[in-house]
Amino acid sequence: YKEYVQWLENRNEDRIKLNKFHGKAYDGKNLMHNIRLLTMAVEISDGKGVIIKRNKNEIKKLLSIKRGEHEYEDILSEAERLMKTMNDKFESSNLPNKIEHSMVNDLLLNIRKQRYKIKNLT
């Protein structure tokens, strides 16, 4: 109950108004981001890497989801299709199943050194 009360106090009223305005029983912004992230995951599974900038057609589609211009069932079907595609591609990919933590830590350290122009960071 305490978390619910905190959520009520901090929720975004403009977002609530948008959801009421489009009259759909879903959070358009949340679903828009879910579809975007699933699309990006499929791109990663294709070996394309992380593509931040979305093309104009995809932006139009994502914003139409946010505005409530799609039926919930259609968005859910699209999400399920993307998840299946992503899972199938990752199953057959040659990506390692485990993360090499020391490599990731070294990479992060080097990024920070370059970003903050630090010579000795240990």
Side-chain angles (χ1 to χ4, degrees):
Y1 177 77
K2 187 177 179 181
E3 289 176 9
Y4 173 71
V5 171
Q6 186 178 11
W7 172 80
L8 281 176
E9 291 171 356
N10 297 322
R11 68 184 175 172
N12 184 334
E13 292 298 327
D14 290 337
R15 190 165 166 180
I16 293 167
K17 288 177 189 172
L18 176 64
N19 292 335
K20 286 181 181 177
F21 176 76
H22 65 56
K24 303 288 182 170
Y26 63 77
D27 182 342
K29 185 176 179 183
N30 182 281
L31 288 177
M32 172 193 71
H33 286 303
N34 279 287
I35 295 297
R36 177 185 54 80
L37 291 169
L38 285 168
T39 302
M40 292 174 74
V42 169
E43 293 168 351
I44 292 167
S45 68
D46 276 337
K48 296 177 183 176
V50 179
I51 303 170
I52 302 297
K53 189 170 182 179
R54 312 317 300 161
N55 68 52
K56 288 181 183 180
N57 289 332
E58 186 179 354
I59 291 170
K60 286 179 185 178
K61 178 183 175 183
L62 291 169
L63 291 175
S64 70
I65 291 171
K66 182 179 178 181
R67 290 189 301 265
E69 297 173 4
H70 299 267
E71 296 302 318
Y72 178 75
E73 293 77 17
D74 296 337
I75 299 168
L76 190 60
S77 293
E78 174 73 2
E80 289 171 348
R81 183 191 66 76
L82 288 166
M83 283 190 292
K84 181 177 180 349
T85 301
M86 174 193 66
N87 287 330
D88 290 347
K89 289 178 182 268
F90 276 121
E91 269 305 306
S92 62
S93 81
N94 60 2
L95 292 171
N97 289 325
K98 293 190 177 194
I99 297 170
E100 189 179 323
H101 292 282
S102 62
M103 187 273 303
V104 174
N105 287 334
D106 290 345
L107 177 62
L108 179 58
L109 188 61
N110 286 328
I111 290 170
R112 287 181 176 163
K113 283 179 178 179
Q114 290 176 18
R115 169 67 175 98
Y116 299 109
K117 297 175 179 36
I118 298 171
K119 301 217 185 276
N120 293 319
L121 181 64
T122 56

